[in-house]
Amino acid sequence: MARKYSSVRPKITSPPSNRDGDGNHVHNEILLGLPPKESNLLLPKLEFVRLKLHQVLHEAGETLKSGYFCNAGMFSVLTVTPDGRHVEVGLIGKEGFAGIPLIAGFRTSHTRVVVQGEGTAFRVDASVLRAALRESPNLERQLLRHSQLMAMQVEQVATCNRLHGMEERLARWLLMTADRVGSDALPLTQEFLAQMLGSTRSTVTISAGMLQKAGLIAYTRGNVNILDRSSLEAAACDCYASLQRQTKEWQGQDE
Ligand SMILES: [Zn+2]
């Protein structure tokens, strides 16, 4: 039988590095997706940092000194109102990067970015990133794609916050969070959930109670465990599936 696949077999190249020079594992998908040439240029210039719960990476209105390739854990992107209230408009996990305005050459942040749970990241100085973008077309392309995915997420979350009920929004948010932290056990208090969803604690308590009663989640002090993922997906509004669909569609349009 003819080996008809041989003509389309991809050219073998050396695999991209999955560790930095200090031996820290790289989990960030943007960094892992870089060709070796760009990876070898960029990785030595990044600083591996451990992040604490609620650590503020970027404050709204302030200068962006660095960007962060999320390596483990999750970042929340929050809009902040003059009276001090804030609502979450985006989530970033190991697929992403905090400091998106830097990609366009902007130097300040419109949003606050906060670490949720403990995590790690590869920090890049703003000036290093600017130089790297000039000499690394794949890095630039991956960051542009990520910023478009984040814009799409924000559009969907804006729609969700306006049109959908608390219970289905909570289900949607838990699924998005679980995807980013890579676990069905989520360390979350009701107060935190209320802040993230722009709601009151009592409303979140009622909605979490309904999801728990239906056997979809187990909720204890400060912890949510997803017990039945497919039913939780069914309980979520279409926003979750819509985000998944669009992400998959765009990923299929690579090149
Ligand atoms: Zn929704």
Side-chain angles (χ1 to χ4, degrees), residues 156-157 159-161 163-164 168-169 172 236-240:
Q156 196 69 45
V157 170
T159 307
C160 192
N161 286 343
L163 296 181
H164 297 148
E168 49 187 359
R169 277 167 52 206
R172 185 264 299 161
C237 47
D238 185 58
C239 295
Y240 179 71

Side-chain angles (χ1 to χ4, degrees), residues 53 55 86 115 138 140 201 221 240:
L53 175 68
Q55 184 174 340
H86 55 259
V115 179
N138 284 279
E140 184 184 37
R201 213 171 127 175
R221 273 177 309 178
Y240 179 71

